[in-house]
């Protein structure tokens, strides 16, 4: 049985993409190990069909963390026999490249984003240049490369002279019926990290102008405390609810009970501009109309499958108008929700996984 080792830097608990990927590979007959890290706040892992390993680091952010994690990952990989390794993003690729070369086996590069263009690297030219250099050294050595959307694939191919295929971050097809307007709660729902650049400050401010609805945010991040404080300072505690981190298994029910899903980003980086977020498809699977940014990937899909609307800029006025245009027009909401129902068989993991399995099968065969 071929052994595949997949590597990430998160704590494995909430990474829906990697849980789907690893489970699919196991179902196909591979032995899979997913390697990440353990954090102070990490809870117990849920038993899954693949082995889960979490490395402990003494430093958990900044350059020293990445250096320590890659050193420990390299040591771990040196003690494991495997037939294929997978580096998820640039932060694991150094160790994976060296380990794969040492064992004489191929590796795959799975890019979840345009790593060198994330907002966290704005103004940090030295750090950005280091990551770019790592990419130019390691990515050409990969047997195959893939990413989450066509726009990022084109940009990565241009930068690194390597073909990037597309495996979209879509959910498993839901066979549950879609809840009607009357069956849903008066909830505006956001799932994802509470980080800078997500437009969450604007979203909270909008609630001052929206009556009869509650904004529910599922997730945590760098702005967790700041956003809670903002809601309190503006007297919106009764309109804004923070759920904290929610397990992937709980999200579909929450999403399916909301009347509106939010998928917004500030156009402050190429990584955001070219993004195709999993929440966009999660809302679609739940039959929940969504508000999205007028970025290339969303415009392309929504021009054909009208499951939501877009806004061209983030401001309290524009966001408030967009929200009201859906929650105050039940006819529009019903049309968008019906379109979600029609589209969810097209954008589901059952179809997307065939692309993934072909990449892995061909890599191991060659």
């Amino acid at each position: 049985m071929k052994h595949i080792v997949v590597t990430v830097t998160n704590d494995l608990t909430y990474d829906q993409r990697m849980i789907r990927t690893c489970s699919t590979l196991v179902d196909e007959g591979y032995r899979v190990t997913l390697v990440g890290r353990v954090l102070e706040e990490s809870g117990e892992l849920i038993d899954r069909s693949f082995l889960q390993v979490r490395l402990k680091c003494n430093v958990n952010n900044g350059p020293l963390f990445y250096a320590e994690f890659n050193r420990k990952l390299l040591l771990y990989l040196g003690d494991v026999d495997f037939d294929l390794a997978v580096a998820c993003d640039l932060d694991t690729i150094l160790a994976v490249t060296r380990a794969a070369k040492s064992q004489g086996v191929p590796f795959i590069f799975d890019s979840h984003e345009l790593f060198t263009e994330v907002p966290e690297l704005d103004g940090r030219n030295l750090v950005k240049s280091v990551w770019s250099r790592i990419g130019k050294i390691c990515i050409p050595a990969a047997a195959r490369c893939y990413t989450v959307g066509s726009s990022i694939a084109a940009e990565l191919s241009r930068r690194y002279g390597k073909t990037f295929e597309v495996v979209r971050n879509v959910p498993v097809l839901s066979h549950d019926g879609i809840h009607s307007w009357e069956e849903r709660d008066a909830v505006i729902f956001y799932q994802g990290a509470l980080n800078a650049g997500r437009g969450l400050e604007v979203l909270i401010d909008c609630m001052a102008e929206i009556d009869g609805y509650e904004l529910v945010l599922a997730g945590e991040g760098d702005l967790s405390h700041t956003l809670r404080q903002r809601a309190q300072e503006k007297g919106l505690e009764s309109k804004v609810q923070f759920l904290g981190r929610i397990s992937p298994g709980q999200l579909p029910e929450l999403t399916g009970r909301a009347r509106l899903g939010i998928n917004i980003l500030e156009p402050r980086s190429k990584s955001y501009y070219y993004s195709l977020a999993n929440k966009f498809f999660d809302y679609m699977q739940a039959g929940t109309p969504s508000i999205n940014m007028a970025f290339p990937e969303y415009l392309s899909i929504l021009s054909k499958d009208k499951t939501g609307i877009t806004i061209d800029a983030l401001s309290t006025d524009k966001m408030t108008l967009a929200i009201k245009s859906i929650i105050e027009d039940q006819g529009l909401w019903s049309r968008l929700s019906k379109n979600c129902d029609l589209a969810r068989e097209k954008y589901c993991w059952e179809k997307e996984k065939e692309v993934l399995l072909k990449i892995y099968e061909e890599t191991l065969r060659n």
Side-chain angles (χ1 to χ4, degrees):
M1 182 182 291
K2 298 288 187 182
H3 183 203
I4 301 171
V5 179
V6 183
T7 63
V8 297
T9 57
N10 62 59
D11 82 341
L12 311 185
T13 309
Y14 304 101
D15 195 335
Q16 296 186 66
R17 179 175 171 86
M18 299 323 303
I19 293 168
R20 276 195 298 269
T21 295
C22 293
S23 298
T24 297
L25 292 171
V26 169
D27 291 344
E28 196 65 14
Y30 299 111
R31 182 162 66 95
V32 179
T33 301
L34 177 61
V35 184
R37 63 164 160 159
V38 64
L39 299 166
E40 284 188 12
E41 64 270 22
S42 294
E44 291 293 320
L45 288 170
I46 297 172
D47 287 338
R48 301 194 184 277
S49 58
F50 49 89
L51 179 64
Q52 300 171 93
V53 175
R54 295 198 291 199
L55 307 177
K56 183 172 176 57
C57 293
N58 296 312
V59 182
N60 280 301
N61 54 65
L64 291 178
F65 156 67
Y66 292 112
E68 182 185 5
F69 182 84
N70 273 270
R71 179 178 62 81
K72 290 189 172 182
L73 178 58
L74 184 59
L75 290 172
Y76 172 81
L77 293 173
D79 289 333
V80 177
D81 290 326
F82 55 89
D83 301 285
L84 176 65
V86 183
C88 297
D89 287 323
L90 291 178
D91 46 6
T92 64
I93 200 170
L94 271 174
V96 167
T97 302
R98 290 190 61 183
K101 183 177 180 180
S102 176
Q103 295 209 25
V105 300
F107 79 89
I108 287 173
F109 180 51
D110 175 3
S111 181
H112 295 184
E113 59 190 350
L114 197 54
F115 195 88
T116 58
E117 300 296 337
V118 296
E120 290 82 359
L121 296 183
D122 283 352
R124 302 172 66 190
N125 293 333
L126 177 59
V127 177
K128 185 181 290 191
S129 67
V130 169
W131 284 119
S132 181
R133 181 64 178 160
I134 289 172
K136 288 178 180 178
I137 292 171
C138 297
I139 290 175
R144 298 284 280 270
C145 303
Y146 62 90
T147 188
V148 296
S150 300
S151 298
I152 292 181
E155 181 65 17
L156 288 170
S157 297
R158 182 188 68 79
R159 291 187 180 198
Y160 298 110
K162 189 86 174 177
T163 299
F164 275 77
E165 297 165 87
V166 175
V167 179
R168 288 173 296 195
N169 196 3
V170 295
V172 172
L173 177 64
S174 172
H175 296 287
D176 295 334
I178 287 177
H179 294 302
S180 66
W181 170 275
E182 292 80 11
E183 293 171 326
R184 293 177 185 248
D185 300 323
V187 163
I188 299 163
F189 189 67
Y190 169 86
Q191 66 173 75
L194 306 187
N195 287 343
R198 304 294 178 106
L200 299 175
E201 299 90 343
V202 169
L203 189 56
I204 288 173
D205 292 353
C206 287
M207 296 309 295
E209 303 298 325
I210 296 170
D211 296 322
Y213 274 77
E214 182 180 32
L215 171 63
V216 175
L217 301 105
E220 295 288 0
D222 298 337
L223 297 183
S224 290
H225 174 72
T226 303
L227 293 174
R228 285 174 169 85
Q229 189 174 35
R230 188 184 192 95
Q232 184 177 17
E233 290 173 350
K234 292 182 176 289
L236 296 171
E237 302 99 317
S238 63
K239 287 187 171 186
V240 182
Q241 182 183 3
F242 294 87
L243 297 181
R245 290 187 173 89
I246 299 295
S247 70
Q250 294 175 290
L251 280 173
E253 176 65 17
L254 291 168
T255 308
R257 288 290 177 182
R259 285 198 181 140
L260 182 63
I262 302 296
N263 174 36
I264 55 175
L265 291 168
E266 296 175 12
R268 57 190 289 184
S269 73
K270 283 187 177 180
S271 186
Y272 277 5
Y273 183 69
Y274 290 142
S275 66
L276 183 56
N278 63 296
K279 65 173 70 71
F280 173 69
F281 297 109
D282 289 342
Y283 298 147
M284 185 187 295
Q285 277 297 320
T288 304
S290 59
I291 297 176
N292 311 273
M293 298 307 298
F295 292 167
E297 295 288 348
Y298 304 119
L299 288 172
S300 175
I301 292 174
L302 291 174
S303 66
K304 298 170 292 195
D305 304 282
K306 302 184 188 308
T307 61
I309 64 173
T310 63
I311 56 173
D312 58 10
L314 272 180
S315 70
T316 304
D317 288 344
K318 288 194 173 187
M319 193 68 210
T320 301
L321 284 172
I323 291 172
K324 287 184 174 182
S325 73
I326 294 178
I327 65 173
E328 294 181 356
D329 186 341
Q330 192 173 336
L332 172 60
W333 184 93
S334 296
R335 291 192 297 275
L336 295 175
S337 182
K338 182 178 180 180
N339 290 338
C340 289
D341 193 17
L342 295 172
R344 61 181 183 168
E345 290 193 18
K346 184 193 302 186
Y347 302 102
C348 66
W349 186 243
E350 284 78 356
K351 290 192 174 182
E352 207 70 17
K353 72 178 182 181
E354 298 304 323
V355 182
L356 178 97
L357 290 173
K358 185 170 184 286
I359 292 171
Y360 282 77
E361 180 189 345
E362 291 177 353
T363 302
L364 285 164
R365 187 172 66 233
N366 296 333

